[in-house]
């Protein structure tokens, strides 16, 4: 079985806090099933919390979600996107030694990622 790595952008984080069924399933799988990994980039977490206060604390308290810090390579990637949230999310989805195939970006605004070298899971369905 191949591991599944998913990065939540701020729209997916907001959707999770508002009861989006697909987002809730991802969170459940990351907590309950082996091989499912869910990540919340800290810059996207800040944007989600600005839009809906309490979102960051809620997501950070959930088991199965890994909060990704803004390290130096991620900070250097920020200048390439229009927002810090998008930049940190895209950076987090890139391949790493732990995630050789990269990660899928979960979003409710898939159009934002058109033309970008990322795989997208549309939660807006």
């Amino acid at each position: 079985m191949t591991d599944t790595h998913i990065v939540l952008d701020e729209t997916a984080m907001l959707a999770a806090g508002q009861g989006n069924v697909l987002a809730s399933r991802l969170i459940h799988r990351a907590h309950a099933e082996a091989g499912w990994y869910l990540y919340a980039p800290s810059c996207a977490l800040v944007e989600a919390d600005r839009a809906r206060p309490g979102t960051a604390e809620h997501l950070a308290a959930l088991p199965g979600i890994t909060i990704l810090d803004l390290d130096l390579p991620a900070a250097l990637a920020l200048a390439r996107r229009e927002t810090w949230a998008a930049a940190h999310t895209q950076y987090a989805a890139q391949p790493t030694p732990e995630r050789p195939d990269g990660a899928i970006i979960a979003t409710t605004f898939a159009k934002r990622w058109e033309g970008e070298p990322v795989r997208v899971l549309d939660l807006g369905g």
Side-chain angles (χ1 to χ4, degrees):
M1 179 179 126
T2 305
D3 290 342
T4 302
H5 298 274
I6 299 177
V7 178
L8 301 172
D9 75 359
E10 74 276 14
T11 69
M13 293 176 192
L14 289 168
Q18 295 172 329
N20 179 288
V21 173
L22 297 175
S24 295
R25 286 182 187 161
L26 288 177
I27 292 166
H28 174 74
R29 282 190 160 170
H31 172 65
E33 296 181 29
W36 281 81
Y37 301 92
L38 203 53
Y39 305 95
S42 55
C43 290
L45 200 58
V46 167
E47 286 304 313
D49 201 70
R50 284 181 178 167
R52 186 165 187 244
T55 300
E57 289 174 349
H58 173 71
L59 286 174
L62 293 173
I65 296 181
T66 301
I67 306 298
L68 300 176
D69 293 331
L70 181 64
D71 59 9
L72 179 58
L76 296 174
L78 294 180
R80 298 187 190 117
R81 295 288 303 191
E82 61 190 57
T83 70
W84 285 33
H88 199 189
T89 300
Q90 184 171 349
Y91 173 80
Q94 299 308 305
T96 66
E98 300 82 29
R99 299 182 301 275
D101 294 327
I104 300 164
I105 296 175
T107 185
T108 62
F109 188 56
K111 186 174 180 116
R112 164 204 258 175
W113 300 105
E114 286 179 0
E116 297 296 338
V118 296
R119 294 175 292 157
V120 172
L121 175 61
D122 188 354
L123 303 179

